[in-house]
Amino acid sequence: MQLPHLLAPITINGMTIKNRAVMPPMGTGYGNADGTVSERLVAYLEQRAKGGTGLIITEVCAVDPRGKGFPNEIGGWKDELIPSLARIPQALHRHGAKAALQLHHAGRETFELAAGAMPEAPSAIPSVILGQPCEAMSLERIAAMIKAFALAAARARSAGFDAVELHGAHGYLLNQFLSPFSNQRDDLYGGSEENRMRFVLEIVAAVRRKVGDDFPVWIRVSADELVKGGYDLAFMQRLAPKLAAAGVNAIHCSVGVYSTPGNLAIAGMDTDPGFNLLRARALKSVVDVPVIGVGRINDPRLADEAIGRGDADLISFGRQHLTDPDFINKAAAGNYDDIRWCTACNQGCIERLSFEMKSATCSFNPECGREYKGAPAKAEPAKRVWVIGAGPAGLAAAMASAARGHRVEVFEKEDAPGGQLQSASKPPHKAVFLDWVKSSLRQLEKCSVPMHYRHTVGADELKQQRPEAVILACGALPATPPIPGLKLKIVADARDVLTGKVAPSGPVVVLGAGYVGMETADFLLAKGLAVTVLELLPTPPVTKLTAHGYWLHKRIKDGGGRLIFGAQVVAIEDAGVRYRRAESEHVEPATLVVTAMGAKSENTLQAVLKDLSIPFSIVGDAKNPRRILEAIHEGHKAGSEI
Ligand SMILES: Cc1cc2nc3c(=O)[nH]c(=O)nc-3n(C[C@H](O)[C@H](O)[C@H](O)COP(=O)(O)OP(=O)(O)OC[C@H]3O[C@@H](n4cnc5c(N)ncnc54)[C@H](O)[C@@H]3O)c2cc1C
Ligand SMILES: Cc1cc2nc3c(=O)[nH]c(=O)nc-3n(C[C@H](O)[C@H](O)[C@H](O)COP(=O)(O)O)c2cc1C
Ligand code: SF4
């Protein structure tokens, strides 16, 4: 049997789940501003239930409007919301999945705009990351919130949910009470460890009283805050048995809070798969209730081993559910080659939600969040479609138009597909980016789409062959600002260094500290070379607030790399790079100068297509150099709309 541990059923307080695969809560931004559940949210969740997952825990659901973490967070704060909430279990039950509602209060980790009032917290200490001022909760308000959790749990039961999860993790209100980092009260709810545990234990007890003994209730915790001044794993090992005694039927073992360096709660590609299982195991050693493990686990085989080893009883796969909703069914059938893997890039999901204030999706799955629109209709009539460029935009366009039944051909001037993903996958921890190319090629092969490599499409060919529609996905080429000496032999572009077209030697000077420059520096440092990065901007363009940004900065610093900001390159010379900084000129010695100063669109065929009156669309970097998300999503849209 494939995955004997992961696919075995388990019963939690009378609720039998068909397998141990869990979709953990993930805020999407698909809810409505009045707290109701939207058609979009239901369709997105239902797609994941169809994919074979046993237990689906909804995203955060506010128990009180003032506890909302984002403006369209779904709500459970009044009875009128029950019929809307009921749509979720109804949809999930159709596919044999169990449905749990995650009950949430954000405390200080929100904005006044979302909470509709000054956010409240154990103490009036603003969120370190958000900086939003907050108010310390009165004893009356504490009592009201304990009641709010209990009432919301009862509403979840009335709505047909099989269980509730209390959000005690990630630095939100419950976690804030537990932590000396955010709780500096001197009353019954703060000070000693026992007092800091009180609010959470009272919530568990109140919820249990309200929903009865036969309803599954569990809590999600951050097993270790991993912040200076916060609580640690030993604290959680003392709390966990008390939680079980107060009435929880399971513990969902997450890690980290907002301020944890490197965002380990939603660990990026730089963190090892399964890194948090050791904490699940530590909690399992102190409680008898099932423990749900989570943290950068996307491969069902890893989950199966973890359960088999006794690290956890169930495993949550978070972002993997966004990238491929069917991965559990595929894994159960042994079709690993068909799985589209999450890269842990965070760009399309959590960073889009929290930094761009847009609803979550997945960079590599353009259908994530669009399930409610249904599959596009078959093409009538089927057309002869040419896709020029086999980078992410071109491959996504080809898949979408082939799925509609068009006769698609893909042309690529290089000898392999992937475009810039070839170089983007070379820096440390990024090899997984090429997996998307492999799974896309497999899909195109299934649709019998011819792939023409080493084939540069030009004006003459378009004139002769006259395809009925063209998608221009020619990407972008490195930008070449007018710097004297750029043509010297010691100069190479980052993409050529990363793909091995140019053999690196040190000392190296990298020009540009954007992601491409920083990742190239990381790549070269890992090879043992001395690296200096020169950047014109006075502050780092790559923020340490993102998981990848944080680890990039850390590795470069730890590896002895030098980052020099506010450096204006004057010229490249045989011996190195001359630059001006703070009114004085310097020369940084180099045997290799790597350029990473942006990209410019390659869209020269546009004029030809206009002349020939061939319908076309331009997608991805060819339109404007941006990211994988835009390339794949635009390619998909263009392919779907022909
Ligand atoms: C080192 C590096 C790291 C990166 N890391 C990230 C990251 O972590 N996250 C992120 O979001 N983005 C990243 N990017 C950017 C990302 O790779 C691009 O935004 C994305 O690849 C753009 O996709 P595209 O399909 O539009 O173009 P491209 O990937 O450039 O693909 C275009 C393809 O078209 C082909 N082509 C061009 N003209 C013709 C023609 N006339 N005939 C046939 N074929 C043609 C090219 O050979 C190429 O294969 C990175 C880029 C680099 C260089
Ligand atoms: C877009 C996004 C939103 C999230 N929202 C929530 C949430 O509402 N509640 C919660 O407890 N965790 C939330 N998380 C954390 C996930 O539940 C999960 O613990 C995390 O993604 C790590 O698991 P993974 O590595 O399998 O993705 C969110 C994660 C993402 C990516
Ligand atoms: S955007 Fe990146 S991290 Fe988020 S689900 Fe997609 S691949 Fe995973």
Side-chain angles (χ1 to χ4, degrees):
M1 185 190 173
Q2 301 267 353
L3 309 170
H5 307 291
L6 183 67
L7 298 183
I10 186 169
T11 301
I12 300 178
N13 192 12
M15 168 184 71
T16 299
I17 312 169
K18 66 181 174 185
N19 58 44
R20 288 33 176 9
V22 180
M23 174 167 162
M26 280 179 289
T28 55
Y30 303 162
N32 298 318
D34 62 358
T36 54
V37 166
S38 66
E39 187 191 340
R40 185 182 185 196
L41 180 59
V42 176
Y44 148 84
L45 290 170
E46 183 167 4
Q47 188 72 35
R48 273 78 199 161
K50 262 189 211 164
T53 299
L55 169 65
I56 294 190
I57 311 174
T58 68
E59 63 191 273
V60 282
C61 172
V63 299
D64 185 270
R66 203 169 165 189
K68 281 164 72 170
F70 47 93
N72 50 352
E73 180 169 332
I74 58 170
W77 60 77
K78 56 181 179 183
D79 289 349
E80 288 73 14
L81 291 166
I82 295 174
S84 157
L85 285 172
R87 297 176 65 193
I88 295 177
Q90 278 160 16
L92 304 190
H93 290 163
R94 280 198 281 275
H95 308 281
K98 297 294 180 196
L101 186 69
Q102 189 186 47
L103 301 180
H104 172 242
H105 188 307
R108 68 176 182 168
E109 298 296 3
T110 185
F111 294 105
E112 201 163 336
L113 181 73
M118 171 83 89
E120 56 185 356
S123 306
I125 309 169
S127 154
V128 179
I129 300 293
L130 307 182
Q132 161 77 52
C134 59
E135 221 168 69
M137 288 166 77
S138 63
L139 289 176
E140 292 70 32
R141 195 64 196 159
I142 287 177
M145 285 309 96
I146 292 170
K147 195 169 164 202
F149 270 93
L151 287 171
R155 287 183 195 112
R157 188 168 195 176
S158 305
F161 278 94
D162 304 290
V164 290
E165 172 174 285
L166 308 174
H167 198 341
H170 304 162
Y172 292 116
L173 188 67
L174 276 61
N175 190 151
Q176 285 159 32
F177 269 90
L178 294 175
S179 174
F181 182 64
S182 41
N183 180 352
Q184 290 172 12
R185 299 177 74 96
D186 54 10
D187 60 6
L188 266 182
Y189 291 93
S192 68
E193 179 169 304
E194 195 189 346
N195 282 356
R196 280 186 278 115
M197 292 176 177
R198 191 178 310 279
F199 181 61
V200 174
L201 291 170
E202 286 184 358
I203 287 176
V204 173
V207 168
R208 177 53 72 207
R209 273 197 305 278
K210 191 77 194 167
V211 295
D213 285 342
D214 60 345
F215 188 66
V217 174
W218 63 83
I219 188 161
R220 186 167 222 211
V221 296
S222 288
D224 194 332
E225 290 192 289
L226 298 172
V227 281
K228 227 177 169 173
Y231 67 73
D232 59 9
L233 180 59
F235 166 85
M236 193 48 71
Q237 283 185 302
R238 293 191 292 278
L239 174 62
K242 294 184 204 285
L243 290 166
V248 302
N249 304 122
I251 295 184
H252 196 167
C253 175
S254 189
V255 67
V257 294
Y258 269 52
S259 322
T260 305
N263 190 12
L264 290 178
I266 307 175
M269 55 182 115
D270 309 81
T271 306
D272 288 339
F275 74 99
N276 189 40
L277 283 169
L278 61 100
R279 297 184 188 85
R281 201 180 173 90
L283 294 191
K284 251 183 90 61
S285 71
V286 295
V287 293
D288 291 329
V289 295
V291 170
I292 309 173
V294 67
R296 186 98 172 74
I297 302 171
N298 56 354
D299 192 328
R301 291 164 291 198
L302 172 62
D304 190 66
E305 283 163 23
I307 297 171
R309 250 193 333 261
D311 291 348
D313 301 285
L314 301 97
I315 293 291
S316 273
F317 303 85
R319 292 160 290 176
Q320 181 58 37
H321 272 99
L322 305 181
T323 315
D324 188 343
D326 296 321
F327 77 102
I328 290 293
N329 278 344
K330 288 177 185 171
N335 291 336
Y336 288 95
D337 288 347
D338 283 339
I339 295 179
R340 192 166 42 206
W341 298 106
C342 164
T343 61
C345 70
N346 278 356
Q347 288 179 339
C349 52
I350 193 63
E351 289 172 12
R352 199 172 134 91
L353 192 69
S354 33
F355 299 140
E356 298 174 37
M357 302 297 164
K358 291 180 182 160
S359 59
T361 180
C362 170
S363 299
F364 291 87
N365 177 13
E367 281 158 6
C368 178
R370 301 204 179 104
E371 297 80 1
Y372 70 110
K373 296 192 170 169
K378 280 279 165 207
E380 198 51 65
K383 289 185 182 155
R384 201 157 60 90
V385 176
W386 277 23
V387 175
I388 308 180
L395 293 176
M399 284 186 280
S401 50
R404 294 198 51 225
H406 287 301
R407 297 189 306 279
V408 183
E409 289 182 67
V410 180
F411 299 87
E412 168 55 52
K413 71 176 180 192
E414 300 293 336
D415 54 12
Q420 292 170 68
L421 293 191
Q422 288 294 347
S423 48
S425 60
K426 299 301 182 289
H429 305 283
K430 292 191 74 184
V432 63
F433 279 52
L434 266 195
D435 289 352
W436 180 83
V437 177
K438 278 186 223 145
S439 69
S440 304
L441 284 185
R442 199 169 147 80
Q443 206 170 314
L444 289 172
E445 206 179 296
K446 283 186 187 168
C447 300
S448 306
V449 171
M451 302 288 303
H452 306 283
Y453 297 115
R454 290 177 290 278
H455 190 136
T456 305
V457 176
D460 290 346
E461 192 177 11
L462 284 169
K463 234 178 253 171
Q464 279 162 19
Q465 297 295 329
R466 289 194 170 262
E468 289 170 278
V470 168
I471 295 177
L472 270 187
C474 298
L477 299 169
T480 46
I483 297 174
L486 210 58
K487 294 220 155 57
L488 285 177
K489 268 200 181 136
I490 61 164
V491 182
D493 180 66
R495 300 180 197 188
D496 292 339
V497 173
L498 290 166
T499 51
K501 282 185 191 149
V502 171
S505 64
V508 189
V509 172
V510 177
L511 304 185
Y515 273 106
V516 174
M518 293 283 280
E519 288 182 352
T520 309
D522 192 21
F523 170 87
L524 293 167
L525 284 164
K527 294 196 176 305
L529 299 169
V531 181
T532 302
V533 184
L534 299 180
E535 166 59 51
L536 180 64
L537 294 174
T539 53
V542 169
T543 166
K544 290 182 198 170
L545 285 178
T546 67
H548 185 49
Y550 170 83
W551 292 111
L552 259 182
H553 275 281
K554 181 164 170 31
R555 278 200 301 273
I556 289 174
K557 189 169 170 224
D558 294 350
R562 289 162 63 230
L563 299 176
I564 302 178
F565 297 101
Q568 181 170 23
V569 176
V570 177
I572 300 166
E573 298 165 356
D574 287 327
V577 180
R578 183 174 293 279
Y579 68 96
R580 190 172 295 124
R581 185 168 186 260
E583 307 296 317
S584 54
E585 229 169 74
H586 311 260
V587 175
E588 188 62 39
T591 53
L592 175 66
V593 177
V594 180
T595 53
M597 294 179 289
K600 58 173 191 298
S601 293
E602 166 50 46
N603 51 22
T604 41
L605 290 175
Q606 183 178 188
V608 179
L609 291 163
K610 269 189 193 153
D611 274 358
L612 295 171
S613 301
I614 296 176
F616 69 96
S617 42
I618 307 185
V619 292
D621 276 14
K623 189 169 168 186
N624 183 14
R626 284 154 298 158
R627 302 174 300 177
I628 293 163
L629 185 148
E630 286 78 13
I632 291 181
H633 287 233
E634 281 172 16
H636 178 81
K637 186 166 186 289
S640 308
E641 287 177 354
I642 292 175

